[in-house]
Amino acid sequence: MNHVRRRPSVIRSFARAARRFARCAVLIALAMPRGATGQPPVFVPAPKISPSTSPPDADRSITVPVARVESGGGIPGSLCPIAEPDRIAWRSPLFEEPFVFPIGAITAVEFPSPAPVKPSGEFCAVLTAGDLVFGSIRDFNETRFTIDSPRLGRLAFSRERLVRLTRWNDGSSVVFQGPNGLGAWRHEFDDSRWYEEQSGIAAQHPGASIFGDVSLPAQARIELELSWNGQPWQAKPDFVVEFGASPDREERAAPFTLEVWEGKLVAQRETERDGDVRVVDGLEDGAGRVALEIFLDQSQGRMLVYNASGAKRAELTVPDSAAGPTGMRMTNLSGNVRLNRLIIARWNGTAPPESPGTASQIRRASGQYLDGSVRGYDPASKAWVVHREGGREDRVPAEDLDAISFGPNDQQTPVEGAVSIACQDGTRVTGALLGVSETEVRIRCAGSTEIVPLPLDGVRMIQRVAPADTRSEAKVARAARLEHDGWSTRGDLRDTPDGADGLAWQPIGSLTTARMRPDGACRIVFREHPAASDPYEGIADQETGVTGFFHRLFRSSGPTGSGPPATRLAIHLRSGDCIPCSEIALIDAERVRFRSELVEATQVPVGDLQAVILGPSHRPSHGDASDPLDGRPDGNPFDDSFGASPEAESAKLARLLTVPRLQRRNPPTHLIVSQAGDYLRGRLIGMDVRGVSIELRLETTLIPRDRIAGIYWLRPDADGGTYAGDSQDASVSSPSAHSKTAGPRVHAVRADGTRMTFDSARVHADVLHGASPRLGACRIELPLIDELVVGAAIEEAAARLPVQQWKLTSAPDPSTLVAEGQTPRLAGTDSDLVGRPAPSFELARLDGAPFRLADERGKIIVLDFWATWCGPCIRAMPVVEEVVGRFADRDVRLYAVNLQETPEKISAFLERRRLNPTVLLDRDGAVAAHYDAVAIPQTVIIDREGNIARLFVGGGPELGEQLRAALEAIAGTSTP
Amino acid sequence: MCHLNRSNGEPPATKVRRVWVWMACCAAVAAAPASGSALAQAPGDRIGDAVPRDVREMYDRGLKFLLKDQADNGEWHGQGQSGPGVTGMAVMVLLASGEDPNFGLYSGQIRRALRSIIRGQDPNTGYLGNSMYHHGFGMLALAEAYGAVDDRDLWEGADAEKGRSIGQSLELAVRAALTSQKKNPFGGWRYSPDGNDADTSVSGAVLVGLLAARNAGIEVPDAAVDRAIGYFRSMTSQSGQVGYSGGFGGFDESPARISIATLVYAVARRKDLAEYQATLRHLVGELETQPNSYINYARYYQAQALFQGDVGAWSKWNAMLVRQLKSEQKADGSLEGEFGADVDTALGLLALALNYRFLPIYER
């Protein structure tokens, strides 16, 4: 026995250092958001645990029955009867018929379990393969034993399967028996969880930690079996099992622990005053297993650890004044670990002697070991026949025996059979699956000849133990992914069988197809969207930028998506549909008329429209004030710095969608985008061969069609998200009488961005056919589809489209009104920036000279933030120039900070307006951002000390007077 | 057809029936003087086509709402403000509907409303009550009804009392307004008849009432009108913006006040003034500009001012108004606003009523 005894303080610091180093690393990793590094916080490659690695979603707890499939993922649903052996028939609520899987294609069928149930029975028989059967012994001889199980009935097993018999007495002395799934445990970190594997629970992520209140008695006997996988060259397992743990990780507790130190399994405890650590066992490289019996006396602070053969491996005594909590915590620090068995029983405090080490160990209720081997059982007298040394036979009353171990049988030794069935009460049997009825699953247990009809009520899991069916592995990569109810599985949409209707789906591994129910809701992904490859892709994906939006729209509006087609005509509907058209003839007050190869309809009501794409849009390189598309008198705000940065884009988008206060009751209803890339807000009157009629400032203007890239419908914010489907405009009738099709409503998304919503009818020769009340007959080729959204998920998906984010918002009201009776605050002092040092900056002047705010210290600086497109700025500018001019002799200087426009445009504007301020060029709006200039005009006065003295927003008739008064106060009456 | 311009304060002895309905209007046109006529619009002056169906439906829905809120005593006590001004607005809505005021659908309601205005008038001062706002709108309603509503039997069947005729009441009201103005150092009006400052909003209400009375044949001294116009000129900036009250506020973007000034210049036949040109230019240049509060008050004046000043601009503005009211009008026909549903509905409908042009004050 390997003892390490050190001075407590040394032990404490050693223990702390070792433990905390390991935990910190793991916990820091857990605390780090995944986005922060771009990598999930996994430090070591997760090792494989046989027979197969845990599938995705394996650590997911379930709330409905789920069939986990070998190809990955799971199908929520219900088990259906099937007479054939080694088959699982599984019905998903999405489908009309059940799928039939060979057992090799299923990993497990799981049912949500209520609170754990304590099994009844006199004995607990531990069998190979982790099986557990509770009941009373009926018969026992050299080759067979028979057990009467309240749950399974009478069952005879071959003797080789028996590992151990323990007195159970209906679990009267047992306080916890498991693990029996994860029901009794709580995950402490959501992104690294334990999961159920074979008959145990396992963890393979660093830091995966679970806590369970196992009602640990003050004096407890704990049977524990842990195992781990790995190759000899891999790191050894590293875990901590705490007995007497507090539910709160942070709370100071002094649990007894089993943990790994420098490749050795140790038992240790550390309190405020004392500490001790003992080596239990060295750990071999590679896979391993440890079965221990632990006697824990928390009142005495004593822990005894015995191995499976009954040899004492460690004893430590570290008393603590406070009684420990009753919980257990298990944390995986690296590698992997699995808890196969955990039985916690009350203990009388008497330490058992070490066993004699014979093959069959018999322990009496008194704790003493009995020499000899069990030969038989007499049910009549309820006595065991024990063969003693010297040929003597003793009859030992059943109640006098506590446990019998039968030689070196490994509990985990695999046995013949296809499935292992775990029940809520902990019963677990492995054997051949013979069939499933409405209420029972029939199984022939390994080592047994009887067929057990096991009631499905009470079954927690049917787990495949036979080798996986690998024939379908190659298909997985090519298959589509069906997502439903938070679960996903791989499979294929098949041609609808002749004579049938609807959509036929076949999951990988299933022997059958099933028709999707018309009311189903799911998503089928045929191809993930390709990775971002061009510089605007990222912006588009953010779904905010102006460019991103249009880029995405235009990228998606061509009929094939391969290069810019000659003409790109498309209509976008509020439903999220985008239909490529060969012709768009007319838009009037009621409808748009078009032709498309994909749909039968030739018109849709304008109420359903989101946008009409008439041609390509080019990023402009310069503004053209004479452009008839430009409704503003002084040019286009988006021309020169378009695409500068995502911030600038979103600022522009926000501006584009903001309705000025005075236009609130008459907001623009449409946005026209020219092929030159200009934007115009107004009200669409209609479109015909001559062009597009649009009302601008209550005047009607006709714009030639070939100038226009697209027309977008703007809807007020209040209308946002209320669109519930096609409008019921009866005046624009549907193309043909629409009758409900056999399949569900689908929303098909093509790689080129085409999106179509219709009621699916069937798949024939790789073409999905259907019909829509609005679009008539629809057809779309399956190989071109990236994604198919089915049922109720359609509206959800449509609402996430960037175009749906385009909502007009009202400009905020000024907060200038002062309630009656209040003393009005000094004008220009509302901003939080007032009184703070002015953010320093350097900008180029319009004449090319550099400007540094720091150089102006000692002067009073007036910064007037403006742009040529801002009417109020233009009105305020002469006023500001005039007022500041009056203070020129007092070192007051005016700088007009232009927001994001080109020098050429600014010069032309100033010339036209006969203005002559010193202009600074804030090309990317960074300085405006520093000065919180979210609305312009904004006029800022910086005093001689370099602090912001006043900040006026919005100009207005009072600005001149307010500015004058402020400068009087700040500049004083004479030049210093 | 003739107008009486009597200076003795006596109401006209003969009841003059002004003609409201279209056919009668056509017949009357020959006798109408070229300008300043109290006649309904001559057919040739009508702009555009017949009143669109959606406008008629909107108007009728609003009317139905207002009628529901009229109390037995003829007043409106329904939702929001009440008083002779509110009653007056409702009377104008009924008159503007085009229904014959004496024999048509709403003749009973019109009479009840007029009786309530007259009954509430101070018999000594002529003050209609509440505030000069109410006085102004009440006076306007009396002026619009004068000559149109046959008041020989106005009081018949109504209690036992025999009240003043519409003409008598209107003359009294005019006198009250003139007395108030005489005392006012600015030549305008304020909330109280005894107020010693003035604002362009109250002054507009009273002056339009006075001008309508003058158009209806009641004597209003030119000097009084000139003084009031002088007040408005003093409140009008070169850019066409109109201040609210001396010493307060200053010029800002108030479509309502700019419209009031434009309207009083026009109805006072002072389109020659530079101030009129300036306010009209401003209005036409900012057609889409609308306030976010008291919108229907602004619309009421904007409609009339634009119609008086620039029919083409009015026509564009009116299309926007129809579009907006269509979306704002509730199912019960009412419009919402700060004054309460009765006033806001009445003001909104009166703005819309320019499409009918049955009210004399709407004549160009």
Side-chain angles (χ1 to χ4, degrees):
Chain A
M1 192 164 288
N2 213 344
H3 280 204
V4 181
R5 179 89 215 186
R6 299 177 195 213
R7 282 162 51 113
S9 61
V10 176
I11 289 168
R12 257 209 307 281
S13 55
F14 176 51
R16 274 189 192 139
R19 259 192 356 203
R20 286 191 185 149
F21 175 75
R23 282 181 201 173
C24 280
V26 168
L27 294 179
I28 287 168
L30 284 173
M32 199 150 44
R34 292 191 176 206
T37 59
Q39 293 292 327
V42 176
F43 291 136
V44 290
K48 273 198 138 197
I49 295 184
S50 63
S52 63
T53 188
S54 66
D57 295 330
D59 57 353
R60 211 177 131 180
S61 50
I62 58 163
T63 51
V64 293
V66 170
R68 296 185 195 268
V69 291
E70 187 55 32
S71 55
I75 308 171
S78 56
L79 196 61
C80 295
I82 187 160
E84 286 172 88
D86 288 341
R87 293 270 193 272
I88 294 284
W90 188 257
R91 183 201 291 276
S92 155
L94 265 185
F95 297 94
E96 301 278 11
E97 301 89 15
F99 298 108
V100 176
F101 291 94
I103 190 66
I106 293 282
T107 309
V109 170
E110 285 183 48
F111 304 88
S113 24
V117 181
K118 200 177 265 189
S120 52
E122 195 180 355
F123 278 90
C124 167
V126 180
L127 310 180
T128 53
D131 285 3
L132 288 178
V133 179
F134 299 86
S136 42
I137 302 299
R138 178 75 195 166
D139 188 21
F140 186 97
N141 59 40
E142 291 292 323
T143 56
R144 298 192 74 73
F145 76 100
T146 307
I147 188 164
D148 277 336
S149 160
R151 176 148 189 85
L152 306 173
R154 179 164 299 175
L155 265 173
F157 287 96
S158 92
R159 238 302 261 109
E160 283 88 54
R161 285 214 64 200
L162 193 57
V163 175
R164 188 175 163 89
L165 269 175
T166 317
R167 274 202 76 77
W168 181 253
N169 285 346
D170 297 337
S172 58
S173 67
V174 171
V175 295
F176 184 89
Q177 178 257 329
N180 205 21
L182 281 157
W185 302 90
R186 167 168 64 80
H187 298 278
E188 297 198 300
F189 301 103
D190 264 346
D191 51 356
S192 56
R193 294 159 71 97
W194 285 63
Y195 55 91
E196 203 164 334
E197 186 183 67
Q198 297 189 28
S199 57
I201 54 176
Q204 60 173 330
H205 285 296
S209 176
I210 46 171
F211 175 85
D213 189 353
V214 293
S215 311
L216 194 70
Q219 292 181 313
R221 184 178 65 80
I222 302 159
E223 278 181 53
L224 178 81
E225 186 190 305
L226 298 167
S227 63
W228 50 90
N229 274 285
Q231 301 300 325
W233 60 85
Q234 286 176 326
K236 288 180 180 173
D238 191 359
F239 52 82
V240 181
V241 182
E242 301 174 28
F243 303 96
S246 157
D248 181 0
R249 279 195 82 89
E250 302 303 317
E251 195 176 302
R252 181 99 188 106
F256 286 91
T257 65
L258 278 179
E259 53 191 278
V260 179
W261 284 17
E262 298 177 324
K264 293 187 173 67
L265 183 66
V266 302
Q268 77 101 29
R269 188 187 204 196
E270 178 199 3
T271 67
E272 283 292 336
R273 289 175 293 104
D274 206 355
D276 198 359
V277 55
R278 300 294 163 129
V279 173
V280 175
D281 217 343
L283 299 181
E284 298 294 319
D285 287 336
R289 185 174 79 87
V290 58
L292 301 171
E293 190 165 26
I294 299 164
F295 296 88
L296 186 67
D297 187 341
Q298 290 201 80
S299 55
Q300 303 287 321
R302 184 165 173 233
M303 186 189 202
L304 303 154
V305 184
Y306 290 73
N307 68 10
S309 318
K312 186 153 78 179
R313 298 295 300 164
E315 175 170 357
L316 58 92
T317 306
V318 183
D320 194 14
S321 51
T326 58
M328 251 186 88
R329 169 174 292 108
M330 293 188 291
T331 308
N332 183 41
L333 293 173
S334 70
N336 63 81
V337 65
R338 184 165 81 204
L339 174 72
N340 296 309
R341 182 158 52 97
L342 175 68
I343 294 172
I344 300 172
R346 275 179 280 277
W347 172 47
N348 61 12
T350 311
E354 292 201 44
S355 82
T358 49
S360 164
Q361 289 158 15
I362 305 164
R363 190 167 70 206
R364 311 191 74 131
S366 64
Q368 298 297 315
Y369 285 87
L370 194 67
D371 281 347
S373 57
V374 174
R375 287 295 163 85
Y377 181 74
D378 178 7
S381 60
K382 291 204 164 189
W384 289 97
V385 181
V386 179
H387 189 79
R388 306 297 296 266
E389 267 186 45
R392 179 164 63 93
E393 262 193 6
D394 277 355
R395 289 187 165 252
V396 184
E399 62 267 26
D400 195 28
L401 280 193
D402 181 52
I404 311 165
S405 295
F406 296 91
N409 273 346
D410 186 342
Q411 194 187 330
Q412 295 302 310
T413 306
V415 296
E416 290 245 332
V419 294
S420 173
I421 299 178
C423 301
Q424 285 159 14
D425 68 358
T427 300
R428 183 183 180 90
V429 284
T430 303
L433 179 65
L434 301 178
V436 178
S437 75
E438 291 283 353
T439 54
E440 291 168 340
V441 51
R442 289 184 305 128
I443 179 174
R444 185 168 52 236
C445 295
S448 172
T449 49
E450 287 98 344
I451 293 170
V452 180
L454 194 60
L456 277 171
D457 184 25
V459 169
R460 195 171 59 73
M461 175 153 82
I462 302 171
Q463 195 173 30
R464 173 181 53 74
V465 293
D469 183 353
T470 52
R471 281 170 299 175
S472 55
E473 259 175 24
K475 295 181 193 161
V476 173
R478 295 196 312 270
R481 191 178 73 236
L482 184 144
E483 296 173 358
H484 169 231
D485 205 8
W487 293 86
S488 72
T489 38
R490 299 257 170 195
D492 291 298
L493 206 53
R494 299 286 182 199
D495 268 12
T496 312
D498 289 337
D501 269 324
L503 299 185
W505 174 258
Q506 185 173 27
I508 288 185
S510 169
L511 303 171
T512 60
T513 62
R515 287 172 304 142
M516 209 173 270
R517 292 172 59 94
D519 56 354
C522 66
R523 185 166 165 255
I524 301 174
V525 180
F526 294 89
R527 249 185 315 276
E528 301 293 346
H529 288 298
S533 59
D534 76 35
Y536 299 104
E537 185 73 28
I539 299 167
D541 285 347
Q542 290 169 16
E543 301 182 352
T544 51
V546 177
T547 308
F549 170 71
F550 285 104
H551 189 78
R552 200 181 173 100
L553 271 184
F554 292 145
R555 182 168 54 87
S556 66
S557 55
T560 63
S562 54
T567 53
R568 36 172 94 211
L569 303 175
I571 57 172
H572 288 253
L573 304 183
R574 295 181 78 186
S575 60
D577 288 11
C578 168
I579 299 158
C581 302
S582 54
E583 181 195 0
I584 298 176
L586 169 142
I587 305 172
D588 63 18
E590 274 87 43
R591 65 185 69 79
V592 55
R593 280 187 200 279
F594 64 95
R595 270 178 211 292
S596 169
E597 289 175 7
L598 300 187
V599 301
E600 178 192 5
T602 54
Q603 58 179 32
V604 291
V606 289
D608 291 346
L609 281 177
Q610 188 72 55
V612 170
I613 308 298
L614 297 171
S617 170
H618 302 295
R619 199 177 305 272
S621 55
H622 64 279
D624 182 359
S626 64
D627 194 327
L629 272 181
D630 190 349
R632 285 168 293 271
D634 295 304
N636 184 323
F638 306 111
D639 52 3
D640 34 46
S641 53
F642 212 20
S645 68
E647 293 76 22
E649 304 261 336
S650 74
K652 278 168 202 155
L653 178 62
R655 206 184 292 152
L656 202 54
L657 294 175
T658 301
V659 182
R661 280 186 292 132
L662 296 176
Q663 242 187 50
R664 207 172 284 174
R665 289 175 187 274
N666 189 37
T669 53
H670 297 82
L671 179 76
I672 312 290
V673 183
S674 79
Q675 295 198 359
D678 293 329
Y679 300 85
L680 178 65
R681 301 199 310 193
R683 174 179 297 277
L684 179 77
I685 308 291
M687 184 191 84
D688 57 19
V689 285
R690 291 173 303 138
V692 172
S693 292
I694 180 157
E695 184 191 285
L696 296 170
R697 315 200 75 193
L698 305 182
E699 302 272 3
T700 303
T701 308
L702 185 75
I703 304 169
R705 264 187 77 151
D706 59 5
R707 307 291 300 273
I708 293 179
I711 305 168
Y712 299 87
W713 271 251
L714 298 175
R715 293 189 168 89
D717 212 8
D719 196 22
T722 55
Y723 182 69
D726 292 336
S727 73
Q728 300 303 310
D729 188 348
S731 65
V732 182
S733 58
S734 53
S736 59
H738 176 73
S739 56
K740 187 74 190 86
T741 55
R745 201 160 60 95
V746 296
H747 178 75
V749 182
R750 272 185 5 187
D752 63 5
T754 299
R755 294 169 167 270
M756 277 165 57
T757 308
F758 53 90
D759 295 324
S760 61
R762 59 200 330 271
V763 174
H764 180 69
D766 263 355
V767 176
L768 173 57
H769 296 270
S772 136
R774 189 57 74 212
L775 303 172
C778 302
R779 65 190 303 280
I780 190 158
E781 289 172 57
L782 268 190
L784 295 180
I785 298 179
D786 273 3
E787 186 182 327
L788 203 60
V789 185
V790 181
I794 293 174
E795 273 67 40
E796 234 170 81
R800 284 197 301 271
L801 289 176
V803 73
Q804 305 285 352
Q805 320 293 324
W806 273 48
K807 300 291 175 198
L808 285 178
T809 52
S810 295
D813 284 313
S815 55
T816 53
L817 299 175
V818 179
E820 259 182 64
Q822 268 185 317
T823 314
R825 290 182 60 181
L826 204 53
T829 57
D830 286 338
S831 165
D832 290 342
L833 288 178
V834 171
R836 299 234 211 110
S840 65
F841 62 87
E842 288 183 40
L843 287 177
R845 286 167 34 159
L846 184 60
D847 60 14
F851 173 88
R852 274 163 37 104
L853 183 64
D855 295 343
E856 306 292 312
R857 187 61 73 89
K859 295 184 188 126
I860 293 169
I861 303 299
V862 178
L863 299 177
D864 189 25
F865 291 89
W866 71 290
T868 60
W869 48 263
C870 162
C873 300
I874 293 157
R875 255 174 264 165
M877 228 173 186
V879 177
V880 175
E881 205 172 356
E882 197 264 330
V883 172
V884 175
R886 278 190 256 160
F887 290 83
D889 60 334
R890 290 183 235 172
D891 264 349
V892 181
R893 298 284 177 271
L894 170 65
Y895 294 97
V897 185
N898 175 276
L899 267 64
Q900 298 164 285
E901 292 178 293
T902 55
E904 298 75 40
K905 171 181 267 188
I906 298 168
S907 300
F909 169 81
L910 293 176
E911 204 172 309
R912 199 160 62 243
R913 293 273 171 172
R914 294 197 180 84
L915 292 167
N916 194 24
T918 308
V919 174
L920 307 180
L921 305 174
D922 187 10
R923 290 302 298 272
D924 58 1
V927 175
H930 284 312
Y931 282 83
D932 278 1
V934 289
I936 53 173
Q938 171 165 311
T939 311
V940 179
I941 305 179
I942 301 169
D943 64 18
R944 296 184 202 280
E945 284 70 47
N947 295 318
I948 295 180
R950 298 282 192 282
L951 191 152
F952 302 96
V953 182
E958 288 88 13
L959 178 65
E961 179 49 34
Q962 290 170 345
L963 195 60
R964 190 197 56 73
L967 286 174
E968 277 300 347
I970 296 159
T973 47
S974 63
T975 312
Chain B
M1 186 83 194
C2 60
H3 291 155
L4 298 185
N5 229 351
R6 299 167 56 136
S7 56
N8 59 4
E10 287 297 308
T14 314
K15 303 298 172 195
V16 179
R17 284 276 301 279
R18 277 192 286 171
V19 184
W20 295 96
V21 283
W22 184 239
M23 291 309 292
C25 176
C26 294
V29 72
S35 70
S37 167
L39 264 183
Q41 198 75 36
D45 286 358
R46 276 183 78 96
I47 292 119
D49 301 325
V51 180
R53 198 182 79 180
D54 49 354
V55 172
R56 286 203 316 269
E57 285 173 355
M58 248 196 289
Y59 201 93
D60 290 345
R61 270 202 303 276
L63 250 180
K64 208 176 271 180
F65 171 80
L66 280 182
L67 290 174
K68 184 172 60 63
D69 268 2
Q70 191 183 23
D72 289 346
N73 69 358
E75 291 178 5
W76 265 263
H77 282 304
Q79 302 174 34
Q81 302 213 357
S82 61
V86 180
T87 309
M89 288 175 198
V91 166
M92 289 192 283
V93 172
L94 295 171
L95 291 176
S97 72
E99 285 289 336
D100 186 298
N102 296 306
F103 304 105
L105 274 177
Y106 312 125
S107 54
Q109 285 90 337
I110 291 171
R111 280 152 190 281
R112 255 197 289 157
L114 288 170
R115 284 199 297 266
S116 90
I117 295 176
I118 296 170
R119 211 185 284 125
Q121 187 176 34
D122 186 312
N124 300 312
T125 63
Y127 184 42
L128 292 173
N130 272 7
S131 79
M132 290 308 283
Y133 263 128
H134 283 277
H135 188 79
F137 281 102
M139 184 161 62
L140 176 59
L142 289 172
E144 300 299 279
Y146 177 49
V149 177
D150 184 347
D151 61 1
R152 278 171 302 192
D153 52 356
L154 180 65
W155 295 96
E156 267 169 34
D159 307 331
E161 59 176 322
K162 182 79 179 165
R164 278 179 295 284
S165 68
I166 296 170
Q168 284 169 329
S169 177
L170 179 58
E171 286 222 313
L172 258 181
V174 166
R175 244 191 280 161
L178 293 175
T179 308
S180 173
Q181 187 200 22
K182 263 183 208 140
K183 291 187 283 186
N184 191 292
F186 295 93
W189 291 268
R190 192 71 165 146
Y191 292 94
S192 158
D194 302 318
N196 55 10
D197 64 351
D199 72 65
T200 46
S201 187
V202 173
S203 297
V206 180
L207 182 53
V208 171
L210 279 180
L211 292 171
R214 183 168 86 171
N215 285 350
I218 303 295
E219 184 181 327
V220 177
D222 285 348
V225 173
D226 287 349
R227 195 163 170 243
I229 290 295
Y231 170 66
F232 271 96
R233 292 179 68 185
S234 74
M235 296 298 285
T236 303
S237 77
Q238 282 185 355
S239 67
Q241 290 175 315
V242 176
Y244 173 58
S245 180
F248 294 95
F251 298 115
D252 64 356
E253 197 62 53
S254 166
R257 291 202 303 275
I258 296 166
S259 301
I260 289 171
T262 313
L263 181 64
V264 296
Y265 295 139
V267 180
R269 292 172 214 132
R270 295 304 308 273
K271 291 187 176 178
D272 58 307
L273 293 173
E275 287 84 355
Y276 168 77
Q277 300 297 338
T279 53
L280 180 63
R281 202 180 314 115
H282 198 110
L283 269 192
V284 173
E286 303 276 345
L287 274 188
E288 284 184 292
T289 298
Q290 290 184 300
N292 286 317
S293 51
Y294 300 111
I295 175 78
N296 289 312
Y297 180 67
R299 283 168 173 162
Y300 167 76
Y301 280 117
Q302 229 172 333
Q304 297 180 66
L306 285 170
F307 186 70
Q308 291 290 347
D310 185 335
V311 174
W314 169 80
S315 171
K316 288 184 233 164
W317 180 89
N318 183 61
M320 175 177 76
L321 174 80
V322 170
R323 199 160 62 214
Q324 291 177 338
L325 290 185
K326 240 189 236 179
S327 72
E328 290 173 26
Q329 192 175 34
K330 296 172 151 188
D332 65 0
S334 68
L335 293 170
E336 263 185 345
E338 292 88 341
F339 294 114
D342 285 346
V343 174
D344 275 288
T345 305
L347 289 173
L349 291 184
L350 286 170
L352 206 56
L354 265 295
N355 290 283
Y356 294 88
R357 272 160 251 157
F358 287 129
L359 279 185
I361 195 71
Y362 290 174
E363 290 159 18
R364 297 186 69 225

